[in-house]
Amino acid sequence: MPSIKHLMHNTPLLLLSIQVSSFVIPWMIVLWLSHMQSAEQVGRFSFILAILAPLTLLLASPSRNFLLTQSNRLFENAATLRVYLAVAGLVLALGVGFWLQQWQFVIVIYLFKVTEQLFDLPIANAIENKRVDRLFSLSWLKWACILVCVGLAFMSQNINLTLVLLSVLFVISSLSKHVSLNFKTPIRRLISLLQKSLPLSLSALALSVYFNVPRYILGQQLENVMLSVFTIASFLVMAALVILNSFMQSRLPQLKQALFTSKTQFKAQLTYCIGLLLIIFLLLQLTHIEFFSNYFWLAHNNIQLSLSHDNYVYRLVILFSWAPLLVSVSNYLYIVSGKHKLLLSVTCINIFLSYVFGLWLFEQWSFNGLMWMISVSSLVQFLGGLVSLKNPKELG
């Protein structure tokens, strides 16, 4: 059995812990809303988050991955640029809030998302300097912030106040002594940094928009109750994606090396990844068991009963969960082949086609049509990934 000391110095495990915390926050908000408010409000939260999540990813420029490929000198400029972009994004978030007629709720959601992204800076700094002890501190500090605010939310019954406090704690925790700000930095230098880092941020934006297309369609159709059930069921798929992504990231070096050295080894590695995808998919199907689903929905105040279809949406989300899992594996194929521009192009085309046909299919066959759209678009993304393996581009 691994000791506490061993876990403290396990970088992949610490990064997984931080990644899981990002998944837990919206889930906790949904739990609170399902008990304290209504299914309608859960749906509205999901729609707002689907709009703001891509925006905050774009504003998180330069991204953590970009910083890890650059010199340490950029960290001070990166922190300053992030703060400027976060303030500018506040205007856009306010516009979204007035459009949805929930400006206070939109602003507090924006604040917690944009401040959470600030953790990228000390995390990248710790990885760059091989300071695993700092990663451990950041992990437990972030979890401590979340647990404190979870307690506050249920005691105060005020979600807006809780999210403001969470944002303040995130700023204090992330912009520590290891990350400095310099507002005297010439604007020209910050603009240059933004231009260099923007392509990678745009790819993250595109992928976020792509995964949120079903939420845009349901929100546009004012199907807030259906969107709430879809959102809660999707948390199980998101948990599976966290596991799959962590595994794929750990296999990237082997996949990359095998692609350029041995087709046989690469096929074996890829088969192994697909095999894991199938195992995760089959494990997800166990959630159809009545014992699990009853307790799962009880935790969410049984808001699925607000739908006349009862468990119909939940069962379809789990049944078609292979599609987002396949998209996740597909994206790593683009990465190992070095075809980042192709990834961005295919994703943008897929977004357009998914939205247009998804909207039409939903109007014709309701939620069934939406699930078939997700399936077809995932196959398009996967085929594009396979095409990217031809004439791979070796980077460094």
Side-chain angles (χ1 to χ4, degrees):
M1 184 175 180
S3 64
I4 299 294
K5 186 176 180 181
H6 173 75
L7 294 177
M8 285 174 60
H9 289 83
N10 191 318
T11 302
L13 187 62
L14 293 174
L15 290 175
L16 177 61
S17 170
I18 294 170
Q19 190 174 352
V20 169
S21 68
S22 299
F23 153 77
V24 165
I25 298 171
W27 183 39
M28 287 294 160
I29 295 173
V30 164
L31 279 172
W32 189 91
L33 291 172
S34 63
H35 284 271
M36 300 297 181
Q37 296 196 14
S38 64
E40 286 274 347
Q41 188 62 9
V42 172
R44 281 191 284 268
F45 165 72
S46 179
F47 185 57
I48 292 168
L49 192 61
I51 295 172
L52 295 181
L55 172 63
T56 54
L57 275 176
L58 183 63
L59 296 175
S61 298
S63 67
R64 186 200 309 175
N65 290 335
F66 178 84
L67 289 171
L68 288 172
T69 63
Q70 310 299 315
S71 65
N72 263 327
R73 293 177 301 167
L74 284 181
F75 281 96
E76 183 178 287
N77 293 341
T80 308
L81 177 59
R82 286 283 195 95
V83 171
Y84 281 134
L85 290 175
V87 173
L90 196 58
V91 178
L92 296 174
L94 194 60
V96 172
F98 282 121
W99 171 51
L100 296 176
Q101 298 180 340
Q102 279 192 301
W103 71 269
Q104 289 182 327
F105 194 41
V106 170
I107 289 299
V108 295
I109 293 172
Y110 169 79
L111 287 176
F112 105 76
K113 283 300 296 180
V114 80
T115 54
E116 183 188 17
Q117 301 283 5
L118 292 174
F119 272 95
D120 285 346
L121 301 169
I123 290 171
N125 188 287
I127 294 173
E128 178 72 21
N129 293 289
K130 298 180 181 179
R131 293 295 303 270
V132 186
D133 57 323
R134 288 185 192 170
L135 277 181
F136 178 76
S137 298
L138 287 166
S139 178
W140 76 256
L141 197 57
K142 189 177 180 185
W143 278 105
C145 294
I146 294 169
L147 292 175
V148 166
C149 289
V150 166
L152 176 64
F154 282 96
M155 285 190 296
S156 69
Q157 297 189 7
N158 188 328
I159 193 67
N160 288 358
L161 175 65
T162 301
L163 291 178
V164 169
L165 176 62
L166 183 62
S167 304
V168 172
L169 291 175
F170 279 168
V171 171
I172 295 172
S173 304
S174 58
L175 298 181
S176 61
K177 60 182 180 181
H178 303 300
V179 177
S180 57
L181 294 169
N182 182 8
F183 293 108
K184 294 181 179 179
T185 305
I187 295 297
R188 184 180 300 175
R189 188 180 299 174
L190 296 179
I191 292 174
S192 175
L193 176 58
L194 179 61
Q195 289 173 335
K196 290 177 182 177
S197 61
L198 201 56
L200 197 57
S201 299
L202 285 172
S203 295
L205 167 72
L207 286 170
S208 181
V209 170
Y210 171 73
F211 278 111
N212 280 305
V213 166
R215 289 174 174 81
Y216 299 144
I217 292 172
L218 291 174
Q220 183 181 336
Q221 296 295 310
L222 302 179
E223 293 283 357
N224 286 324
V225 176
M226 185 179 289
L227 178 54
S228 69
V229 177
F230 170 78
T231 298
I232 293 171
S234 295
F235 278 121
L236 294 170
V237 183
M238 287 169 62
L241 282 169
V242 167
I243 296 170
L244 182 61
N245 283 331
S246 298
F247 172 82
M248 291 299 300
Q249 287 172 12
S250 69
R251 306 291 291 194
L252 272 180
Q254 295 96 315
L255 279 167
K256 182 79 173 179
Q257 184 179 8
L259 180 61
F260 290 98
T261 57
S262 170
K263 289 184 178 180
T264 302
Q265 288 183 14
F266 180 78
K267 287 179 181 178
Q269 291 279 354
L270 183 57
T271 301
Y272 189 80
C273 295
I274 298 295
L276 179 66
L277 183 157
L278 290 173
I279 291 171
I280 293 175
F281 170 73
L282 291 174
L283 288 174
L284 275 174
Q285 303 316 301
L286 296 178
T287 60
H288 287 295
I289 297 173
E290 189 173 346
F291 175 81
F292 177 88
S293 62
N294 285 346
Y295 279 101
F296 178 74
W297 286 111
L298 181 63
H300 296 89
N301 203 25
N302 285 317
I303 68 171
Q304 87 285 5
L305 298 177
S306 304
L307 269 183
S308 58
H309 307 301
D310 200 356
N311 276 344
Y312 164 72
V313 171
Y314 170 74
R315 294 186 184 282
L316 281 180
V317 169
I318 301 301
L319 190 61
F320 283 87
S321 60
W322 62 267
L325 293 172
L326 185 63
V327 170
S328 179
V329 172
S330 304
N331 293 337
Y332 287 102
L333 298 183
Y334 294 96
I335 293 171
V336 297
S337 64
K339 302 291 183 65
H340 301 115
K341 290 183 179 179
L342 179 62
L343 171 60
L344 180 58
S345 299
V346 172
T347 305
C348 288
I349 292 170
N350 226 347
I351 289 170
F352 175 76
L353 295 177
S354 296
Y355 180 77
V356 172
F357 286 103
L359 196 59
W360 178 74
L361 288 169
F362 181 79
E363 291 174 350
Q364 299 298 315
W365 294 289
S366 188
F367 197 74
N368 264 315
L370 196 56
M371 289 296 97
W372 281 109
M373 177 277 297
I374 292 173
S375 302
V376 173
S377 68
S378 69
L379 291 173
V380 171
Q381 198 81 2
F382 181 66
L383 290 174
L386 292 178
V387 171
S388 74
L389 298 176
K390 294 183 178 180
N391 301 317
K393 181 181 179 183
E394 189 157 15
L395 300 174

